[in-house]
Amino acid sequence: MGIEENSTPHVAATGLRETKKRETRQLISDRATELFIAQGFERTTIADIADAARVAKKTVTNYFPRKEDLALDHQDAFTGALAATIADRAPGESALAALRRAFLAAVDAQDPVAGFAGLGFTRMIADSPTLTTCLRGLHDQREDALAGALAEATGAAATDVEPRTAAAVLGAVHRVLFARIQQLTLAGRTDEEIAAEVRAEAEAAFTLLEPSLATYATT
């Protein structure tokens, strides 16, 4: 009884600290995004963000070591998405079928991670050489993670050409479709219009891969 009584305030204090950290991180991210959209990524400084969030510059960099991390703060979800789909696919479902299913579901949900980020955010990325380069790097990381997941799923070595080739082809389709969502967003199309158009285009794109990958990595 004594242990429980003594530990309860500590547990509560720890919970409050973690909640405060999450709130502070979200506040910094929100203020940074507002500034990036309003005045451009390249022209916004860490000092600007700290002032807007009413925190010290050191606090900003403690939560976000790089300025790019403030703009693209769903990097882990993005780079791990395709590999996670392979790991979680249904018994008997091929890698191609699983990735097609997951992408179409993301389109139907108008998921920001799939590219439905809104006009302001999409333009912010398109106008920034730094973020454009960073996004290409994230696509590369996502493809590498997919290759690893495919190697594990097929029992191949991580360096084997087969899973890396399959990942390159499947990753390319996702790159093309992501870019297509960006293109339509910048053209002023609504998310509903984009989803309808990209869904049809995605079906066609994934169908092109069926002759070579329809049964690849089937569980």
Side-chain angles (χ1 to χ4, degrees), residues 38-114:
Q39 61 192 40
F41 177 82
E42 313 293 348
R43 290 190 296 274
T44 301
T45 67
I46 295 297
D48 292 336
I49 296 165
D51 288 344
R54 296 185 178 181
V55 298
K57 287 173 59 177
K58 183 65 174 176
T59 302
V60 175
T61 55
N62 281 343
Y63 283 99
F64 301 94
R66 304 181 307 159
K67 195 168 75 165
E68 297 95 303
D69 297 332
L70 282 155
L72 304 171
D73 60 344
H74 296 294
Q75 296 180 39
D76 291 344
F78 181 86
T79 58
L82 304 188
T85 296
I86 298 303
D88 297 339
R89 71 196 189 285
E93 187 176 34
S94 70
L96 176 61
L99 290 169
R100 182 205 300 254
R101 170 181 52 76
F103 183 81
L104 293 177
V107 169
D108 291 342
Q110 298 169 21
D111 187 348
V113 176

Side-chain angles (χ1 to χ4, degrees), residues 146-167:
L146 175 59
L150 291 173
E152 183 174 350
T154 59
T159 55
D160 281 1
V161 69
E162 190 172 277
R164 299 204 67 81
T165 301

Side-chain angles (χ1 to χ4, degrees), residues 94-97 162 165-167 169-170 209-218:
S94 70
L96 176 61
E162 190 172 277
T165 301
V169 173
L170 292 164
L209 305 185
E210 287 182 355
S212 58
L213 293 175
T215 61
Y216 179 71
T218 302

